[in-house]
Amino acid sequence: MENYDVIIVGCGPAGLRAAKVLAENKINVLALDKKQEIGVPVRCGEGLGLGWFKRLNLKPNSAWAVQPIKGAALYSPTGKKVEIRFEEVSGYILERRMFEKYLAREAALKGACIKVKHHVLDVKRKGSKVEVFGKYLGDEFKYSANIIIAADGVDSLTARRLGLNTTNKLVDIDSGFQYEMAGIDFEDPDLIHLYFGNEVAPRGYVWLFPKGDHEANVGVGIAGYREETAKYYLDKFISSRESLAKGSIIHINSGAVPVGGFLDNMVLDNLLVCGDAAHQVDPTHGGGIGLSMEAATIAAEVAVEAIKKVDYSQKFLSRYNKLWYEKRGNALKQRLKARIFMEQLTDDEFDAIADNLSGEDILKLAGGELSEKAKFMARLLIKKPSIAGKIAKSLR
Amino acid sequence: MVKYNQEKCLYCGGCVSVCPVMALELMETYIKYDAKKCINCNSCVKICPVGAFMVEGR
Ligand SMILES: Cc1cc2nc3c(=O)[nH]c(=O)nc-3n(C[C@H](O)[C@H](O)[C@H](O)COP(=O)(O)OP(=O)(O)OC[C@H]3O[C@@H](n4cnc5c(N)ncnc54)[C@H](O)[C@@H]3O)c2cc1C
Ligand code: SF4
Ligand code: SF4
């Protein structure tokens, strides 16, 4: 049986980034994916902020970063628009199938071995190693490794098979549905457009992420426990807007987004979990590309250390928990509180916020200017006292 | 019991992520449903973005 230092299950952004980091460090790494093509099918809105390009050392390439974005337009339930516009490009809409292929090429170039159509059906500990069983085009395969990185996305079973429960609770997950539409009309293709309201998207929002002047990803995310489906909300949104309803749907995709059930522990003996499999998604907007790649980098670096020290114990690997929580985890828990506050707002309160908030305010708030926060809250509370209780509740 | 409609399914794996007993697995383009493991919690019905899981008889 072929043995590897590390086997990665799942070749999305997380798995491919881990593969590259490991290969760069001369680690013998195998990355398996059940899909027949890297990057397909897409289950994503494909937005990525510029900060992530810098943090992940990625250079935007027009082959996969197809639409530069300079800000966002937010729409309240009654349609009031708040615009946040930067002078410079602040992010990109990706073509993810091309992006993931690019990540795969980079990893392969460094020496990682990637195999598609390899479905991992079971993982079992044997002695100090883990054995990986699966099927490739109907034939069984079996490999062993010292460390498994579970980067198998939202439908991850690898960690669960090794004894770490990564199941999502319904309250902690959003249901998402998206059309890529062509032949539609909208304003400002250099902005992303986000539509809020309990009728539009309970707990979430509808997004329109432009890909050119007449094409966009139009999608919705809603709380996972709702009776109506995400598709129901998106169809309702589109059919009420002639500028969208007249277009063609050239791609449909769906998915679930873990928006808050962070795992306190993401390691066991021989196991590291990262990306959607470890619920590493921003709870306020559901973005996970950047976070999953950052976490995968940390997980891979810890794996490199573990291999050097020949120590694959949970105790050693738990360094990954510590490093991730220091870098992101605690900040994300704060953002979870912000989301919990947002989801309690009535449409009226939402509108009151939009009425009292300019794009500039949002930038200052996001930048953490405390005096601005205080001023804004004061303004808001005078107009909508009901919000005060909700703020207090969400801070608990 | 829940009923799975493969023709509706977009194979996104959402249902797998919430199933508490690993009764579901995404087999690339369809869901493998193990009725013997299922505890009828209906989580898959709620999360599915397109309604490919339904409560039987409803
Ligand atoms: C509708 C929707 C919109 C989104 N929009 C955005 C957005 O605009 N911006 C953003 O940053 N994020 C967005 N996200 C989130 C983002 O898509 C994910 O956070 C990101 O893909 C996570 O990457 P990953 O590598 O962890 O998992 P994935 O990309 O899901 O990759 C996991 C891989 O593991 C493979 N796999 C699973 N099980 C096995 C197995 N047993 N054997 C072999 N292979 C296996 C799968 O085939 C898959 O290729 C969105 C998500 C959804 C659902
Ligand atoms: S959540 Fe629905 S669409 Fe997605 S894989 Fe499960 S049954 Fe199919
Ligand atoms: S009803 Fe519950 S236990 Fe049964 S398959 Fe669906 S999620 Fe799993």
Side-chain angles (χ1 to χ4, degrees):
Chain A
M1 188 189 347
E2 266 177 272
N3 182 56
Y4 291 84
D5 289 325
V6 180
I7 293 179
I8 300 169
V9 185
C11 298
L16 293 169
R17 169 52 64 119
K20 177 173 175 232
V21 172
L22 289 162
E24 275 170 345
N25 283 281
K26 305 279 175 264
I27 302 293
N28 185 18
V29 54
L30 173 67
L32 302 172
D33 203 295
K34 64 185 164 193
K35 303 202 292 203
Q36 90 181 39
E37 183 176 356
I38 298 280
V40 182
V42 175
R43 33 185 190 191
C44 187
E46 308 183 290
L48 189 62
L50 195 68
W52 284 114
F53 284 83
K54 293 188 181 136
R55 284 191 281 276
L56 298 167
N57 204 10
L58 289 166
K59 281 202 188 64
N61 177 323
S62 60
W64 47 261
V66 292
Q67 173 73 47
I69 294 295
K70 287 189 168 171
L74 317 178
Y75 303 83
S76 76
T78 56
K80 190 180 157 57
K81 179 173 165 186
V82 180
E83 202 174 283
I84 310 168
R85 195 182 271 280
F86 301 91
E87 308 259 299
E88 310 280 321
V89 170
S90 65
Y92 286 87
I93 306 304
L94 309 180
E95 193 62 41
R96 243 186 90 166
R97 65 189 73 209
M98 303 304 287
F99 176 58
E100 283 179 41
K101 292 250 173 58
Y102 160 78
L103 295 178
R105 278 197 296 274
E106 290 275 290
L109 209 58
K110 300 286 179 193
C113 176
I114 299 170
K115 291 178 193 271
V116 294
K117 209 78 183 169
H118 279 64
H119 191 154
V120 173
L121 293 164
D122 208 0
V123 281
K124 282 189 185 131
R125 282 206 183 74
K126 188 161 187 204
S128 64
K129 291 186 190 296
V130 174
E131 290 182 345
V132 173
F133 305 85
K135 275 195 174 175
Y136 168 61
L137 298 176
D139 295 327
E140 287 176 5
F141 66 77
K142 188 169 156 188
Y143 301 110
S144 70
N146 296 317
I147 295 181
I148 301 292
I149 296 185
D152 43 351
V154 77
D155 52 307
S156 170
L157 294 176
T158 302
R160 295 169 76 180
R161 284 173 172 141
L162 284 171
L164 185 71
N165 190 359
T166 58
T167 316
N168 284 280
K169 293 201 190 79
L170 265 181
V171 291
D172 289 327
I173 196 157
D174 279 357
S175 178
F177 184 74
Q178 176 178 278
Y179 296 127
E180 187 174 352
M181 302 191 74
I184 55 175
D185 292 328
F186 52 89
E187 288 172 16
D188 297 320
D190 57 346
L191 300 180
I192 57 168
H193 302 263
L194 307 176
Y195 303 81
F196 296 90
N198 291 313
E199 293 293 318
V200 175
R203 185 168 93 181
Y205 56 90
V206 165
W207 64 83
L208 186 151
F209 288 181
K211 284 183 164 181
D213 293 350
H214 297 283
E215 191 179 329
N217 287 336
V218 187
V220 69
I222 58 163
Y225 49 77
R226 304 294 301 194
E227 287 298 328
E228 302 287 0
T229 62
K231 179 177 184 297
Y232 163 84
Y233 283 98
L234 188 62
D235 286 341
K236 192 168 83 161
F237 181 86
I238 290 172
S239 63
S240 67
R241 285 167 173 77
E242 174 49 28
S243 55
L244 299 179
K246 67 175 189 167
S248 293
I249 294 163
I250 60 172
H251 174 191
I252 302 182
N253 69 72
S254 68
V257 194
V259 285
F262 296 113
L263 302 175
D264 289 330
N265 176 34
M266 305 179 286
V267 301
L268 289 179
D269 289 347
N270 313 87
L271 174 75
L272 295 147
V273 191
C274 60
D276 274 10
H279 313 177
Q280 287 160 327
V281 173
D282 189 306
T284 56
H285 55 62
I289 302 171
L291 286 170
S292 66
M293 289 179 68
E294 183 181 67
T297 308
I298 302 172
E301 285 167 357
V302 169
V304 171
E305 287 298 305
I307 285 156
K308 277 190 195 145
K309 298 220 158 66
V310 201
D311 185 351
Y312 318 119
S313 66
Q314 174 171 356
K315 186 158 177 266
F316 187 87
L317 298 179
S318 63
R319 224 180 119 62
Y320 163 57
N321 288 332
K322 182 169 170 283
L323 293 173
W324 189 74
Y325 269 95
E326 277 169 10
K327 192 154 198 178
R328 276 300 151 213
N330 291 324
L332 289 177
K333 284 193 168 171
Q334 289 302 316
R335 292 174 75 90
L336 177 59
K337 286 186 181 165
R339 193 209 77 209
I340 291 169
F341 161 63
M342 296 253 299
E343 75 184 79
Q344 292 167 349
L345 295 176
T346 62
D347 280 0
D348 255 11
E349 289 164 345
F350 239 120
D351 271 312
I353 291 180
D355 272 334
N356 285 279
L357 203 63
S358 69
E360 219 167 291
D361 286 335
I362 293 183
L363 286 183
K364 286 180 184 160
L365 289 171
E369 285 182 38
L370 277 177
S371 60
E372 288 301 324
K373 262 186 208 173
K375 265 192 257 168
F376 159 69
M377 287 302 173
R379 236 167 39 216
L380 193 62
L381 294 180
I382 292 166
K383 293 212 171 148
K384 274 276 163 204
S386 62
I387 295 178
K390 294 187 176 169
I391 294 176
K393 223 166 122 189
S394 70
L395 292 177
R396 251 189 262 146
Chain B
M1 288 296 280
V2 292
K3 200 171 155 44
Y4 167 63
N5 181 348
Q6 192 181 336
E7 289 177 1
K8 274 196 178 188
C9 176
L10 295 174
Y11 34 99
C12 65
C15 51
V16 181
S17 79
V18 295
C19 178
V21 291
M22 293 205 274
L24 305 174
E25 178 159 16
L26 175 58
M27 308 303 287
E28 203 182 352
T29 57
Y30 65 94
I31 291 294
K32 197 168 90 185
Y33 165 59
D34 185 344
K36 285 197 291 296
K37 285 189 188 162
C38 178
I39 55 166
N40 298 306
C41 71
N42 294 348
S43 294
C44 52
V45 177
K46 294 218 170 80
I47 192 73
C48 181
V50 292
F53 265 104
M54 302 286 275
V55 179
E56 210 163 29
R58 240 192 237 175

